[in-house]
Amino acid sequence: AQKITQTQPGMFVQEKEAVTLDCTYDTSDQSYGLFWYKQPSSGEMIFLIYQGSYDEQNATEGRYSLNFQKARKSANLVISASQLGDSAMYFCAMREGSGGSNYKLTFGKGTLLTVNP
Amino acid sequence: NAGVTQTPKFQVLKTGQSMTLQCAQDMNHEYMSWYRQDPGMGLRLIHYSVGAGITDQGEVPNGYNVSRSTTEDFPLRLLSAAPSQTSVYFCASSPTYNNEQYFGPGTRLTVT
């Protein structure tokens, strides 16, 4: 079974609208972390937001927020007020367990977001 | 700070050749890792290190070797290149196991 599932290969959104990118995960660990990265067409990987499994509040970073539903094992990324520069591939990733030996990220296959003017 | 640097940016190899992809970071991060990115597959972990002298295998380690003699450097060696190793390779580092990973710009490798 896939540990990280991103069911939307591609998404379109109008400029200035909000968009939600889906991510579900599979783990039996109680301690884990969830990350979202952005990869523009230039290829670099840009960290956006992090949510720890014990964090009680949803993470927010500027226009990015993470809709964390632990019981449903989902960690959706919400981008508010989309901009043309948000057009990129978005990856959800998970770190399972705690401690240095668990320094491993598992990535989903990504969602390609296109923002239309 | 230069952050995470990778050399070369592009490389073409013939089947059977060996080479080393270089990765260096100047942030004094203990944790480093190598990923490969293939179309439609996301990023997959090849090897990682939790400190100088300590390395371990990731999801797809076959055909690759690593070593970590210093905190700064984490080279990835392809022992005998195969067309299946055509990919984009990313190196990343982080200060702790739980922090976000800082990625290098990537190396695009083609094996013919």
Side-chain angles (χ1 to χ4, degrees), chain A residues 10-32:
Chain A
M11 287 280 287
F12 293 88
V13 65
Q14 287 298 121
E15 196 177 6
K16 299 179 186 173
E17 292 185 350
V19 63
T20 298
L21 306 184
D22 294 341
C23 173
T24 57
Y25 59 92
D26 181 24
T27 181
S28 56
D29 287 331
Q30 296 300 309
S31 174
Y32 53 90

Side-chain angles (χ1 to χ4, degrees), chain B residues 22-54:
Chain B
Q22 301 292 344
C23 174
Q25 51 92 8
D26 61 358
M27 298 173 282
N28 202 33
H29 287 173
E30 288 295 324
Y31 296 81
M32 297 186 75
S33 51
W34 275 103
Y35 296 88
R36 61 177 288 172
Q37 183 177 22
D38 302 298
M41 296 293 292
L43 279 75
R44 292 182 292 168
L45 182 65
I46 305 172
H47 285 285
Y48 67 100
S49 169
V50 300
I54 306 170

Side-chain angles (χ1 to χ4, degrees), chain A residues 33-38 46-52 58-67 75-78 91 93, chain B residues 100:
Chain A
L34 297 155
F35 301 79
W36 277 92
Y37 284 85
K38 171 184 178 181
I46 303 167
F47 166 74
L48 295 178
I49 198 166
Y50 166 78
Q51 179 85 41
N58 287 345
T60 60
E61 290 286 349
R63 293 186 299 110
Y64 304 107
S65 60
L66 200 152
N67 184 2
N76 298 339
L77 177 70
V78 181
F91 291 100
Chain B
E100 71 268 24

Side-chain angles (χ1 to χ4, degrees), chain A residues 77-99:
Chain A
L77 177 70
V78 181
I79 305 174
S80 63
S82 296
Q83 302 171 355
L84 295 178
D86 294 334
S87 293
M89 184 71 85
Y90 289 81
F91 291 100
C92 179
M94 176 174 64
R95 173 205 46 79
E96 296 177 86
S98 58

